[in-house]
Amino acid sequence: MKRIGILTSGGDAPGMNACIRAAVRAALAHDLTIVGIRRGYTGLAGADMIPLSRTEIRNIIHLGGTILETSRNPDFYTKDGRLQAASAIERMDLDGLILIGGEGTFHGASLLAADADTAALIGVPGSIDNDIYGTDYCIGFDTAANCAVDAIDRIRDTARSHERLFFIEVMGRTSGFLALESGIAGGAEEMVIPEEETLVARMSERIRRGFAIGKKSAIVVVAEGKTPGISFDLARRIKERLDLDSRVVVLGHLQRGGPPTLRDRVLGSTLGIAAVEALLDGRSGCMVGEVGGKVSHTPLEETWQKKKTLNEDLRRVFTVLSE
Ligand code: F6P
Protein backbone atom coordinates (compact mmCIF):
# COMPACT_ATOMS: atom_id res chain seq x y z
CA MET A 1 0.00 0.00 0.00
CA LYS A 2 1.79 3.12 -1.27
CA ARG A 3 -0.67 5.38 -2.97
CA ILE A 4 -4.32 5.80 -2.02
CA GLY A 5 -7.29 7.93 -3.07
CA ILE A 6 -10.27 9.32 -1.22
CA LEU A 7 -13.64 10.53 -2.49
CA THR A 8 -17.04 11.65 -1.24
CA SER A 9 -20.13 10.44 -3.06
CA GLY A 10 -23.92 10.80 -2.79
CA GLY A 11 -25.45 13.48 -0.56
CA ASP A 12 -22.89 15.58 1.30
CA ALA A 13 -22.95 15.36 5.09
CA PRO A 14 -21.39 17.61 7.76
CA GLY A 15 -18.29 15.88 9.12
CA MET A 16 -17.08 14.61 5.76
CA ASN A 17 -14.31 17.22 5.82
CA ALA A 18 -13.23 16.09 9.29
CA CYS A 19 -13.00 12.57 7.87
CA ILE A 20 -10.96 13.65 4.83
CA ARG A 21 -8.63 15.60 7.10
CA ALA A 22 -8.11 12.64 9.43
CA ALA A 23 -7.52 10.21 6.55
CA VAL A 24 -4.93 12.53 4.99
CA ARG A 25 -3.11 13.01 8.27
CA ALA A 26 -3.12 9.26 8.99
CA ALA A 27 -1.92 8.47 5.46
CA LEU A 28 0.93 10.98 5.64
CA ALA A 29 1.94 9.65 9.05
CA HIS A 30 2.37 6.23 7.43
CA ASP A 31 4.30 7.64 4.44
CA LEU A 32 1.46 6.98 2.02
CA THR A 33 0.73 9.29 -0.88
CA ILE A 34 -2.92 10.35 -0.88
CA VAL A 35 -4.93 12.02 -3.63
CA GLY A 36 -8.46 13.39 -3.55
CA ILE A 37 -10.89 12.37 -6.29
CA ARG A 38 -13.20 15.27 -7.07
CA ARG A 39 -17.01 15.03 -7.54
CA GLY A 40 -17.51 11.42 -6.38
CA TYR A 41 -18.03 8.71 -9.00
CA THR A 42 -18.27 11.34 -11.76
CA GLY A 43 -14.72 12.48 -11.04
CA LEU A 44 -13.55 8.92 -10.51
CA ALA A 45 -14.58 7.89 -14.02
CA GLY A 46 -12.57 10.82 -15.42
CA ALA A 47 -9.57 10.36 -13.08
CA ASP A 48 -10.20 13.91 -11.81
CA MET A 49 -7.78 14.04 -8.91
CA ILE A 50 -5.92 16.55 -6.78
CA PRO A 51 -2.91 15.89 -4.57
CA LEU A 52 -3.66 16.10 -0.86
CA SER A 53 -1.12 17.34 1.64
CA ARG A 54 -1.35 19.10 4.99
CA THR A 55 -2.01 22.36 3.12
CA GLU A 56 -5.27 21.25 1.47
CA ILE A 57 -6.73 19.95 4.72
CA ARG A 58 -5.80 22.93 6.86
CA ASN A 59 -8.76 24.65 8.59
CA ILE A 60 -11.49 22.41 7.23
CA ILE A 61 -12.58 20.45 10.31
CA HIS A 62 -15.34 22.99 11.06
CA LEU A 63 -16.73 23.20 7.54
CA GLY A 64 -19.92 21.50 6.35
CA GLY A 65 -20.19 20.09 2.82
CA THR A 66 -17.17 18.40 1.28
CA ILE A 67 -14.02 20.06 -0.08
CA LEU A 68 -13.81 17.23 -2.63
CA GLU A 69 -17.36 17.92 -3.88
CA THR A 70 -19.75 15.09 -4.63
CA SER A 71 -22.29 13.74 -7.11
CA ARG A 72 -24.99 11.13 -7.58
CA ASN A 73 -23.91 9.19 -10.63
CA PRO A 74 -26.27 6.54 -12.04
CA ASP A 75 -23.54 5.43 -14.54
CA PHE A 76 -22.07 3.34 -11.77
CA TYR A 77 -25.03 1.00 -12.05
CA THR A 78 -23.89 0.11 -15.58
CA LYS A 79 -20.99 -2.23 -16.27
CA ASP A 80 -19.48 0.25 -18.73
CA GLY A 81 -19.48 2.96 -16.09
CA ARG A 82 -17.72 0.70 -13.61
CA LEU A 83 -15.12 -0.49 -16.09
CA GLN A 84 -14.38 3.13 -16.89
CA ALA A 85 -13.84 3.76 -13.17
CA ALA A 86 -11.61 0.67 -12.85
CA SER A 87 -9.45 1.87 -15.72
CA ALA A 88 -9.21 5.35 -14.15
CA ILE A 89 -8.12 3.79 -10.84
CA GLU A 90 -5.37 1.97 -12.74
CA ARG A 91 -4.30 5.16 -14.53
CA MET A 92 -4.14 7.00 -11.20
CA ASP A 93 -2.03 4.12 -9.90
CA LEU A 94 -4.07 3.69 -6.72
CA ASP A 95 -3.51 0.73 -4.39
CA GLY A 96 -6.43 1.69 -2.18
CA LEU A 97 -9.52 3.88 -2.33
CA ILE A 98 -11.57 5.31 0.55
CA LEU A 99 -15.18 6.06 -0.32
CA ILE A 100 -17.18 8.26 2.04
CA GLY A 101 -20.87 7.99 1.25
CA GLY A 102 -24.08 6.09 1.74
CA GLU A 103 -25.94 3.03 0.54
CA GLY A 104 -25.71 3.93 -3.17
CA THR A 105 -21.96 4.54 -2.89
CA PHE A 106 -21.37 1.16 -1.27
CA HIS A 107 -23.66 -0.63 -3.69
CA GLY A 108 -21.60 0.83 -6.54
CA ALA A 109 -18.33 -0.10 -4.81
CA SER A 110 -19.44 -3.72 -4.30
CA LEU A 111 -20.36 -4.02 -7.97
CA LEU A 112 -17.03 -2.49 -8.96
CA ALA A 113 -15.11 -4.98 -6.82
CA ALA A 114 -17.06 -7.84 -8.42
CA ASP A 115 -16.42 -6.58 -11.98
CA ALA A 116 -12.74 -5.74 -11.84
CA ASP A 117 -9.54 -6.61 -10.07
CA THR A 118 -9.09 -3.12 -8.74
CA ALA A 119 -7.68 -1.20 -5.75
CA ALA A 120 -8.64 -2.18 -2.21
CA LEU A 121 -11.95 -0.44 -1.42
CA ILE A 122 -12.88 0.83 2.04
CA GLY A 123 -16.21 2.55 2.74
CA VAL A 124 -16.93 5.18 5.40
CA PRO A 125 -20.60 5.86 6.28
CA GLY A 126 -21.52 9.46 5.57
CA SER A 127 -25.25 10.23 5.41
CA ILE A 128 -27.56 12.47 7.38
CA ASP A 129 -30.20 9.72 7.02
CA ASN A 130 -28.23 7.39 9.34
CA ASP A 131 -29.68 4.45 7.42
CA ILE A 132 -26.53 2.41 6.77
CA TYR A 133 -26.29 -1.07 8.23
CA GLY A 134 -23.04 -1.73 10.13
CA THR A 135 -22.68 1.46 12.16
CA ASP A 136 -24.64 2.99 15.03
CA TYR A 137 -24.25 6.46 13.58
CA CYS A 138 -23.28 7.87 10.19
CA ILE A 139 -21.23 11.02 9.72
CA GLY A 140 -23.64 13.97 9.37
CA PHE A 141 -26.61 12.56 11.25
CA ASP A 142 -25.92 14.37 14.51
CA THR A 143 -25.55 17.76 12.84
CA ALA A 144 -28.72 17.29 10.79
CA ALA A 145 -30.68 16.07 13.82
CA ASN A 146 -29.52 19.08 15.87
CA CYS A 147 -30.56 21.37 13.02
CA ALA A 148 -34.03 19.78 13.07
CA VAL A 149 -34.27 20.19 16.86
CA ASP A 150 -33.30 23.84 16.56
CA ALA A 151 -36.05 24.30 13.95
CA ILE A 152 -38.61 22.52 16.16
CA ASP A 153 -37.69 24.76 19.12
CA ARG A 154 -38.15 27.89 17.04
CA ILE A 155 -41.42 26.72 15.57
CA ARG A 156 -42.70 25.76 19.02
CA ASP A 157 -42.41 29.43 20.05
CA THR A 158 -44.69 30.61 17.29
CA ALA A 159 -46.98 27.55 17.52
CA ARG A 160 -47.49 28.23 21.23
CA SER A 161 -48.21 31.91 20.62
CA HIS A 162 -50.94 31.15 18.06
CA GLU A 163 -52.21 27.86 19.54
CA ARG A 164 -51.38 26.11 16.29
CA LEU A 165 -50.66 22.63 15.04
CA PHE A 166 -47.43 22.38 13.04
CA PHE A 167 -46.21 19.64 10.72
CA ILE A 168 -42.43 19.73 10.46
CA GLU A 169 -41.03 17.56 7.68
CA VAL A 170 -37.49 16.30 8.10
CA MET A 171 -35.25 14.45 5.64
CA GLY A 172 -34.26 10.80 5.92
CA ARG A 173 -35.57 9.32 2.70
CA THR A 174 -36.97 5.86 3.54
CA SER A 175 -35.81 5.89 7.18
CA GLY A 176 -37.17 7.53 10.29
CA PHE A 177 -33.93 7.99 12.26
CA LEU A 178 -33.88 11.78 11.90
CA ALA A 179 -37.59 12.07 12.74
CA LEU A 180 -37.33 9.79 15.78
CA GLU A 181 -34.37 11.44 17.50
CA SER A 182 -35.29 15.03 16.62
CA GLY A 183 -38.88 14.25 17.64
CA ILE A 184 -37.78 13.07 21.09
CA ALA A 185 -35.38 15.98 21.59
CA GLY A 186 -37.90 18.54 20.32
CA GLY A 187 -40.75 17.17 22.43
CA ALA A 188 -42.94 16.42 19.40
CA GLU A 189 -46.47 15.25 20.11
CA GLU A 190 -46.67 12.90 17.12
CA MET A 191 -44.35 11.32 14.59
CA VAL A 192 -44.83 9.93 11.09
CA ILE A 193 -42.12 7.57 9.84
CA PRO A 194 -41.84 5.26 6.82
CA GLU A 195 -41.29 2.25 9.09
CA GLU A 196 -44.85 2.51 10.46
CA GLU A 197 -48.36 2.86 9.11
CA THR A 198 -49.80 6.37 9.46
CA LEU A 199 -53.07 6.17 11.39
CA VAL A 200 -54.67 9.54 10.65
CA ALA A 201 -57.83 9.00 12.73
CA ARG A 202 -55.87 7.94 15.79
CA MET A 203 -53.36 10.74 15.44
CA SER A 204 -56.13 13.35 15.01
CA GLU A 205 -57.89 12.10 18.12
CA ARG A 206 -54.72 12.26 20.20
CA ILE A 207 -54.00 15.81 19.03
CA ARG A 208 -57.62 16.81 19.80
CA ARG A 209 -57.34 15.31 23.27
CA GLY A 210 -54.06 17.17 23.87
CA PHE A 211 -55.64 20.55 23.15
CA ALA A 212 -58.71 19.55 25.22
CA ILE A 213 -56.55 18.99 28.30
CA GLY A 214 -54.83 22.33 27.93
CA LYS A 215 -52.01 22.03 25.41
CA LYS A 216 -51.35 25.26 23.57
CA SER A 217 -49.52 23.79 20.57
CA ALA A 218 -48.74 20.50 18.87
CA ILE A 219 -45.87 19.44 16.67
CA VAL A 220 -45.99 16.47 14.31
CA VAL A 221 -42.55 15.49 13.01
CA VAL A 222 -42.91 13.90 9.60
CA ALA A 223 -40.17 11.89 7.89
CA GLU A 224 -40.20 12.78 4.20
CA GLY A 225 -40.23 9.17 2.98
CA LYS A 226 -39.92 8.57 -0.75
CA THR A 227 -41.81 11.71 -1.75
CA PRO A 228 -40.78 14.93 -0.02
CA GLY A 229 -43.74 17.21 0.61
CA ILE A 230 -46.03 14.48 2.03
CA SER A 231 -46.79 16.71 5.03
CA PHE A 232 -49.12 18.90 2.99
CA ASP A 233 -51.46 16.00 2.26
CA LEU A 234 -51.26 14.75 5.84
CA ALA A 235 -52.04 18.24 7.17
CA ARG A 236 -55.07 18.43 4.86
CA ARG A 237 -56.37 15.05 6.03
CA ILE A 238 -55.98 15.94 9.69
CA LYS A 239 -57.54 19.35 9.12
CA GLU A 240 -60.66 17.60 7.78
CA ARG A 241 -61.05 16.02 11.22
CA LEU A 242 -59.90 18.82 13.52
CA ASP A 243 -60.85 22.43 13.74
CA LEU A 244 -57.31 23.64 14.36
CA ASP A 245 -55.18 26.28 12.72
CA SER A 246 -52.27 24.38 11.20
CA ARG A 247 -49.11 25.08 9.19
CA VAL A 248 -46.51 22.97 7.37
CA VAL A 249 -42.73 23.52 7.35
CA VAL A 250 -40.48 21.41 5.13
CA LEU A 251 -36.91 21.72 6.38
CA GLY A 252 -35.29 20.18 3.28
CA HIS A 253 -31.63 20.84 2.48
CA LEU A 254 -31.28 23.28 5.36
CA GLN A 255 -30.54 20.16 7.41
CA ARG A 256 -27.60 19.11 5.22
CA GLY A 257 -25.44 22.21 5.65
CA GLY A 258 -23.68 24.07 8.43
CA PRO A 259 -20.74 23.37 10.71
CA PRO A 260 -20.55 19.77 11.96
CA THR A 261 -21.30 19.14 15.62
CA LEU A 262 -18.71 17.80 18.04
CA ARG A 263 -20.11 14.26 17.54
CA ASP A 264 -19.75 14.44 13.76
CA ARG A 265 -16.24 15.87 13.94
CA VAL A 266 -15.18 13.12 16.34
CA LEU A 267 -16.88 10.36 14.34
CA GLY A 268 -15.45 11.68 11.04
CA SER A 269 -11.96 11.86 12.54
CA THR A 270 -12.20 8.38 14.07
CA LEU A 271 -13.45 6.75 10.89
CA GLY A 272 -10.98 8.61 8.64
CA ILE A 273 -8.11 7.12 10.60
CA ALA A 274 -9.83 3.71 10.78
CA ALA A 275 -10.20 3.66 6.98
CA VAL A 276 -6.48 4.23 6.40
CA GLU A 277 -5.60 1.64 9.04
CA ALA A 278 -7.96 -0.86 7.40
CA LEU A 279 -6.08 -0.42 4.11
CA LEU A 280 -2.74 -0.83 5.87
CA ASP A 281 -4.05 -4.01 7.54
CA GLY A 282 -4.75 -5.43 4.09
CA ARG A 283 -8.55 -5.15 4.28
CA SER A 284 -10.73 -4.53 1.25
CA GLY A 285 -14.44 -4.58 0.40
CA CYS A 286 -15.59 -3.44 3.81
CA MET A 287 -16.99 -0.39 5.54
CA VAL A 288 -15.51 0.97 8.74
CA GLY A 289 -18.17 2.02 11.23
CA GLU A 290 -18.72 2.45 14.94
CA VAL A 291 -20.76 -0.08 16.89
CA GLY A 292 -21.10 0.25 20.67
CA GLY A 293 -18.31 2.84 20.68
CA LYS A 294 -15.82 0.54 18.93
CA VAL A 295 -14.58 0.62 15.34
CA SER A 296 -16.22 -2.14 13.30
CA HIS A 297 -15.72 -3.63 9.82
CA THR A 298 -18.74 -4.74 7.79
CA PRO A 299 -18.63 -6.29 4.30
CA LEU A 300 -19.74 -3.68 1.75
CA GLU A 301 -22.58 -5.91 0.43
CA GLU A 302 -24.13 -6.13 3.89
CA THR A 303 -24.22 -2.35 4.26
CA TRP A 304 -26.85 -1.99 1.54
CA GLN A 305 -28.37 -5.48 1.46
CA LYS A 306 -29.29 -5.50 5.15
CA LYS A 307 -31.80 -3.04 6.54
CA LYS A 308 -30.77 -1.00 9.55
CA THR A 309 -33.70 -0.92 11.96
CA LEU A 310 -34.76 1.82 14.35
CA ASN A 311 -33.52 1.55 17.91
CA GLU A 312 -36.53 0.02 19.71
CA ASP A 313 -35.63 1.57 23.04
CA LEU A 314 -35.67 5.04 21.49
CA ARG A 315 -38.96 4.25 19.75
CA ARG A 316 -40.40 3.39 23.15
CA VAL A 317 -39.09 6.64 24.63
CA PHE A 318 -41.04 8.56 21.98
CA THR A 319 -44.19 6.56 22.67
CA VAL A 320 -44.05 7.05 26.42
CA LEU A 321 -43.36 10.78 26.14
CA SER A 322 -46.06 11.42 23.58
CA GLU A 323 -48.80 9.74 25.63
O1 F6P B 1 -29.53 10.94 1.54
C1 F6P B 1 -29.45 12.21 2.07
C2 F6P B 1 -30.62 13.05 1.60
O2 F6P B 1 -30.48 14.35 2.14
C3 F6P B 1 -32.00 12.50 1.91
O3 F6P B 1 -32.41 12.72 3.23
C4 F6P B 1 -32.83 13.21 0.89
O4 F6P B 1 -34.02 12.48 0.60
C5 F6P B 1 -31.94 13.26 -0.30
O5 F6P B 1 -30.61 13.16 0.19
C6 F6P B 1 -32.05 14.49 -1.14
O6 F6P B 1 -31.23 14.30 -2.23
P1 F6P B 1 -30.79 15.47 -3.21
O7 F6P B 1 -29.83 16.35 -2.48
O8 F6P B 1 -30.15 14.76 -4.35
O9 F6P B 1 -32.03 16.21 -3.57
Side-chain angles (χ1 to χ4, degrees), residues 60-302:
I60 65 165
I61 196 165
H62 61 298
L63 301 179
T66 156
I67 59 158
L68 293 177
E69 301 177 25
T70 185
S71 61
R72 298 193 191 279
N73 189 336
D75 293 353
F76 231 74
Y77 289 108
T78 67
K79 190 153 184 167
D80 273 0
R82 293 192 294 276
L83 292 180
Q84 215 181 328
S87 125
I89 290 173
E90 206 175 320
R91 286 203 307 283
M92 289 186 283
D93 196 21
L94 301 180
D95 305 312
L97 180 60
I98 298 171
L99 309 108
I100 312 172
E103 255 191 313
T105 306
F106 302 150
H107 192 167
S110 318
L111 296 175
L112 173 65
D115 281 347
D117 184 15
T118 187
L121 304 176
I122 299 292
V124 180
S127 168
I128 66 161
D129 301 343
N130 201 31
D131 59 346
I132 303 167
Y133 180 88
T135 190
D136 290 344
Y137 286 102
C138 299
I139 296 168
F141 171 75
D142 189 64
T143 308
N146 274 291
C147 173
V149 173
D150 182 53
I152 295 171
D153 290 350
R154 286 164 190 267
I155 289 165
R156 179 77 75 181
D157 291 345
T158 173
R160 163 75 185 79
S161 304
H162 285 265
E163 298 187 35
R164 276 177 176 159
L165 162 64
F166 265 87
F167 297 83
I168 304 180
E169 187 171 308
V170 299
M171 277 188 161
R173 218 185 290 254
T174 50
S175 298
F177 294 95
L178 267 175
L180 175 58
E181 294 208 28
S182 63
I184 292 173
E189 275 70 17
E190 299 290 330
M191 174 176 70
V192 173
I193 50 175
E195 288 85 349
E196 295 172 7
E197 194 186 348
T198 308
L199 303 168
V200 173
R202 190 166 162 265
M203 193 180 299
S204 306
E205 178 49 26
R206 286 159 52 103
I207 294 169
R208 193 200 58 72
R209 229 186 309 135
F211 276 91
I213 61 167
K215 280 200 175 199
K216 295 288 184 187
S217 64
I219 303 265
V220 181
V221 175
V222 183
E224 62 177 3
K226 281 190 190 128
T227 36
I230 56 167
S231 310
F232 292 98
D233 183 51
L234 180 67
R236 187 188 49 74
R237 287 160 68 202
I238 292 189
K239 179 97 182 136
E240 281 167 7
R241 296 170 175 268
L242 296 178
D243 184 23
L244 280 176
D245 198 9
S246 68
R247 296 288 186 275
V248 173
V249 178
V250 178
L251 297 182
H253 289 79
L254 198 73
Q255 295 155 99
R256 278 236 304 258
T261 56
L262 172 146
R263 290 284 352 132
D264 279 330
R265 296 181 198 199
V266 172
L267 183 64
S269 302
T270 305
L271 297 185
I273 293 171
V276 172
E277 289 178 346
L279 286 172
L280 289 168
D281 288 348
R283 291 181 190 267
S284 180
C286 70
M287 179 193 81
V288 293
E290 204 178 72
V291 176
K294 295 256 175 279
V295 169
S296 59
H297 301 89
T298 306
L300 280 177
E301 299 79 50
E302 285 186 21

